[in-house]
Amino acid sequence: MHTVAARAGVSIASASRVLNGVGGSPETVRRVREAAAAVGYVPNAIARSLQSQRTGLIAFAVEDIGNPVYVAMMRAIEAVVAESGHQLLVHATGGQVASETALLRRLAHRYVDGMIISPIRITAAHVAALTTTPVPVVVIGQLADDVPVDNVRTDSRSGIALAVDHLVAAGRTRIAFLNGPLDTVPGVARDAGFRAALERHGMPVDLIEVGDFQYAPGRAAAERLLSRAEPDAIVCANDLIAVGALHALLVAGKRVPEDVALVGMDDTELAQMSYPQISSVSLGSEERGRRAARLLLERIADGALPPRREHVAPSLVIRATSGGVQ
Amino acid sequence: MHTVAARAGVSIASASRVLNGVGGSPETVRRVREAAAAVGYVPNAIARSLQSQRTGLIAFAVEDIGNPVYVAMMRAIEAVVAESGHQLLVHATGGQVASETALLRRLAHRYVDGMIISPIRITAAHVAALTTTPVPVVVIGQLADDVPVDNVRTDSRSGIALAVDHLVAAGRTRIAFLNGPLDTVPGVARDAGFRAALERHGMPVDLIEVGDFQYAPGRAAAERLLSRAEPDAIVCANDLIAVGALHALLVAGKRVPEDVALVGMDDTELAQMSYPQISSVSLGSEERGRRAARLLLERIADGALPPRREHVAPSLVIRATSGGVQ
DNA sequence: TTGTATGCGTTATCAC
DNA sequence: GTGATAACGCATACAA
């Protein structure tokens, strides 16, 4: 900038104004532009940030960037924030509470303009960090009603009910459930949803296996299930588990869906990339990502907004594994 | 900082020194620490960056963050750069040349300390941008020998040869190839590798279909292939195509591997998450990511280093779809 | 319109 | 060891 101004024979202030398109006589504009082009001037993002008090960065923090459901969210978020000139910073937390709260506290350094976080566990430490951070945060996931933080949620409890109702309507009577850890927010919600749905249909709740929200644990859980019972339908707490269960079923010689029907959750591209294609409860991942991004941008623009809650309703996508036509 | 210094009754300089752990009498240290804790002082990352001339950010630019091969790279990169206190900025370029060169030019703004980019097309515009950028860049992929930029590469040409040799040894005689676009670097390399391998075995090269490096195009390409020929083996240019081909084969009533053997490429988790599990040529994605990250950190530390080329050799992982035991 | 001067929040340099 | 002061690169009140 200094060089450009000197070369153009004007002050640094004038050069700055021209380069930002505010003010400047035609002659000044011409000379500054020429000088800038000649020396290949390009503004320094950091200095500009220091002055403007914004970095142009949005952080997205998730447990596992390999899970297709987060990839879908990330894409949706990226599309929204890119429109407003922001770039996306991705944090992989590994689901560690310490790692997530550390991230939230680090926000005070103001290295980003805002953060979208989707924790699978929400502890008191989370809430404390969330309510004291000086930088806007939007949480994707269930947040207690009294926490004054923008929040986009879905109802996986009723999502599980959609799956169960669908299977019951198809005549299935021994419906099993493969869940993730019960010390996670989605884990407890889905467990409660499954139990409530089965009880509503007057069915015994005895076919539950708990593993992790991953492929291999899902497959192992299905193997445990098949070794002790003969379900005619399996609901899975996410698509990774469902793919694992599908393979366990096929290895065990079961026909899907004739012998055992299967429904996953999250409706990721994995469900469509399996064979047979897996029915799945959509929790609107893209939509939640999109909404979260919009909420965040709004709050960055106006910090005085009241805390908002947005809700995305689940829906069932029926495919081959639950009686749809192949 | 100003507040902390005032509260501690020392100068800003002393406060800064104490907070950075350099110098300070025991008494000064105590008072500054106390004051900092009292006002909840936390350093401003931007101001610190302006002074230190580094952002602590590393960018990783890829075509599609949903492709498991890039997810694997990203994880490996993240692990390495995190050790040195860097954070990862992820760019999705969509494979657009304009988008990638724009990204490279934007590096001049110095919003990151360095970039790892894995373009599937490398044009003259790329080379021009790469050689003029003032910020360290490492390219994952084939770069011309005379381009003075750090580069981590593999040899997918010989990777394809591994797959073909394996299938020939297993007695397959009508080997097909499902490739991605021929205007991409991996596309041409894999095409050349397939042709060379088949010719080396004295086999006719007539079973090639070109689609895109995605699931649906892969499946469509396999359907086109099956409608016009009866291959007894299929080599796929990546795992997404392979999964699509597997499904096309199963829909067509083919037994895999009895009727048709299948080998993918990239050895992503997708290959293990399919049923039957897909044999795949590993191109060492994690290893390439790790090496690229190390090269970048070294160059950031010492810009005078000569340009380096690192090579990761491909290897074949045999699974169920190519005659391995189920 | 233009230039001067100041501030953004830190760190580094230099006398003391 | 400490404090005043000058950077870092830019944007902007204010006065001219």
Side-chain angles (χ1 to χ4, degrees):
Chain A
M1 186 72 142
H2 181 77
T3 315
V4 171
R7 189 177 181 110
V10 298
S11 73
I12 294 185
S14 291
S16 174
R17 278 189 289 258
V18 169
L19 265 19
N20 286 314
V22 293
S25 72
E27 173 62 9
T28 306
V29 169
R30 191 189 61 73
R31 280 163 51 193
V32 170
R33 292 239 171 96
E34 198 173 293
V39 304
Y41 171 81
V42 52
N44 182 300
I46 303 171
R48 180 171 283 185
S49 289
L50 183 60
Q51 166 70 27
S52 66
Q53 300 288 47
R54 12 171 291 120
T55 63
L57 258 37
I58 300 287
F60 180 47
V62 290
E63 178 202 4
D64 170 28
I65 43 179
N67 189 328
V69 68
Y70 294 128
V71 172
M73 275 186 193
M74 198 182 329
R75 282 196 179 120
I77 292 171
E78 216 267 336
V80 173
V81 303
E83 278 179 30
S84 62
H86 290 266
Q87 298 188 317
L88 205 59
L89 196 59
V90 178
H91 291 291
T93 67
Q96 307 296 322
V97 172
S99 163
E100 290 179 349
T101 52
L103 221 43
L104 289 171
R105 272 195 300 273
R106 218 187 308 165
L107 283 177
H109 295 212
R110 298 178 176 278
Y111 69 104
V112 292
D113 295 339
M115 174 179 276
I116 298 173
I117 187 168
S118 180
I120 59 171
R121 294 179 179 83
I122 298 185
T123 64
H126 279 97
V127 174
L130 280 170
T131 50
T132 57
T133 177
V135 171
V137 177
V138 174
V139 172
I140 297 180
Q142 298 291 332
L143 207 53
D145 287 332
D146 60 340
V147 181
V149 173
D150 293 328
N151 177 222
V152 177
R153 54 178 62 188
T154 182
D155 184 4
S156 58
R157 207 171 180 287
S158 72
I160 292 285
L162 287 179
V164 170
D165 291 354
H166 162 60
L167 292 168
V168 169
R172 307 289 168 160
T173 55
R174 297 184 309 283
I175 304 176
F177 182 47
L178 303 183
N179 199 6
L182 286 173
D183 63 343
T184 63
V185 174
V188 295
R190 289 161 205 201
D191 181 72
F194 182 73
R195 291 176 187 277
L198 252 61
E199 282 163 13
R200 183 157 44 76
H201 289 290
M203 293 177 164
V205 182
D206 55 346
L207 301 181
I208 296 184
E209 290 286 339
V210 173
D212 205 344
F213 290 111
Q214 302 287 334
Y215 168 80
R219 182 164 175 170
E223 285 163 359
R224 288 198 302 277
L225 172 69
L226 293 176
S227 72
R228 71 169 173 93
E230 287 215 357
D232 61 5
I234 303 180
V235 176
C236 301
N238 78 358
D239 282 349
L240 287 164
I241 295 176
V243 172
L246 174 61
H247 296 175
L249 287 169
L250 296 176
V251 168
K254 305 289 185 186
R255 292 172 306 160
V256 178
E258 292 82 354
D259 299 331
V260 184
L262 185 69
V263 179
M265 181 165 249
D266 279 342
D267 188 33
T268 62
E269 49 186 20
L270 226 46
Q272 302 179 52
M273 287 173 57
S274 285
Y275 184 82
Q277 295 193 324
I278 302 175
S279 297
S280 190
V281 177
S282 167
L283 298 179
S285 314
E286 290 88 354
E287 181 65 14
R288 281 184 291 155
R290 208 162 17 238
R291 299 249 204 130
R294 294 207 187 107
L295 285 184
L296 184 58
L297 293 177
E298 287 170 16
R299 177 157 302 283
I300 288 173
D302 178 8
L305 255 32
R308 292 152 299 165
R309 295 265 180 283
E310 295 212 355
H311 190 96
V312 175
S315 62
L316 177 65
V317 180
I318 299 174
R319 299 200 182 87
T321 59
S322 68
V325 179
Q326 182 72 12
Chain B
M1 186 72 141
H2 181 78
T3 315
V4 172
R7 189 178 180 110
V10 299
S11 71
I12 293 184
S14 290
S16 174
R17 277 188 291 258
V18 168
L19 265 19
N20 284 315
V22 294
S25 72
E27 173 62 9
T28 305
V29 169
R30 191 189 60 73
R31 280 164 49 195
V32 170
R33 292 239 172 96
E34 200 172 292
V39 304
Y41 170 80
V42 52
N44 181 299
I46 303 171
R48 180 172 282 185
S49 289
L50 184 60
Q51 168 69 27
S52 67
Q53 301 288 46
R54 8 170 295 118
T55 63
L57 258 37
I58 301 286
F60 180 45
V62 290
E63 179 204 1
D64 170 27
I65 43 179
N67 188 328
V69 68
Y70 294 128
V71 172
M73 276 187 192
M74 198 183 327
R75 283 195 177 121
I77 292 170
E78 216 266 337
V80 173
V81 302
E83 278 180 31
S84 62
H86 290 266
Q87 298 188 319
L88 205 59
L89 196 60
V90 178
H91 291 292
T93 67
Q96 306 296 323
V97 172
S99 162
E100 290 179 349
T101 52
L103 219 45
L104 289 170
R105 272 195 299 272
R106 218 188 307 164
L107 282 176
H109 295 209
R110 299 178 176 280
Y111 69 103
V112 292
D113 295 338
M115 172 177 279
I116 298 174
I117 186 169
S118 181
I120 59 171
R121 294 180 180 81
I122 298 187
T123 65
H126 279 96
V127 174
L130 280 170
T131 51
T132 56
T133 177
V135 171
V137 177
V138 175
V139 171
I140 297 181
Q142 298 293 330
L143 208 53
D145 287 333
D146 60 341
V147 181
V149 173
D150 293 328
N151 176 222
V152 178
R153 53 178 65 188
T154 181
D155 183 3
S156 59
R157 207 171 179 288
S158 71
I160 292 285
L162 287 179
V164 170
D165 292 354
H166 162 60
L167 292 168
V168 170
R172 307 288 168 158
T173 57
R174 298 185 308 282
I175 305 176
F177 182 46
L178 303 184
N179 199 6
L182 287 173
D183 63 342
T184 63
V185 174
V188 296
R190 288 160 207 200
D191 181 72
F194 183 74
R195 290 175 188 277
L198 252 61
E199 280 163 13
R200 183 158 45 75
H201 288 291
M203 292 178 164
V205 183
D206 55 347
L207 300 182
I208 296 184
E209 290 286 340
V210 173
D212 205 343
F213 290 111
Q214 302 287 335
Y215 168 80
R219 182 164 174 171
E223 285 163 359
R224 288 198 302 278
L225 172 69
L226 294 177
S227 73
R228 72 171 175 92
E230 287 216 357
D232 61 5
I234 302 180
V235 175
C236 300
N238 78 357
D239 282 349
L240 287 165
I241 295 176
V243 172
L246 174 60
H247 296 177
L249 287 168
L250 295 176
V251 167
K254 305 289 186 185
R255 292 171 307 160
V256 178
E258 292 82 352
D259 299 330
V260 183
L262 185 70
V263 179
M265 178 164 253
D266 279 342
D267 189 32
T268 61
E269 50 187 18
L270 225 46
Q272 303 178 52
M273 287 173 55
S274 284
Y275 184 83
Q277 294 193 325
I278 301 174
S279 298
S280 190
V281 176
S282 167
L283 298 179
S285 315
E286 290 87 354
E287 180 66 13
R288 281 184 290 156
R290 205 159 25 235
R291 299 250 204 129
R294 293 205 186 110
L295 285 184
L296 184 58
L297 293 177
E298 287 169 17
R299 177 156 304 282
I300 288 173
D302 178 7
L305 255 33
R308 291 152 301 165
R309 295 269 180 283
E310 295 212 354
H311 190 96
V312 175
S315 61
L316 177 64
V317 180
I318 299 174
R319 298 199 181 87
T321 59
S322 68
V325 180
Q326 183 73 9

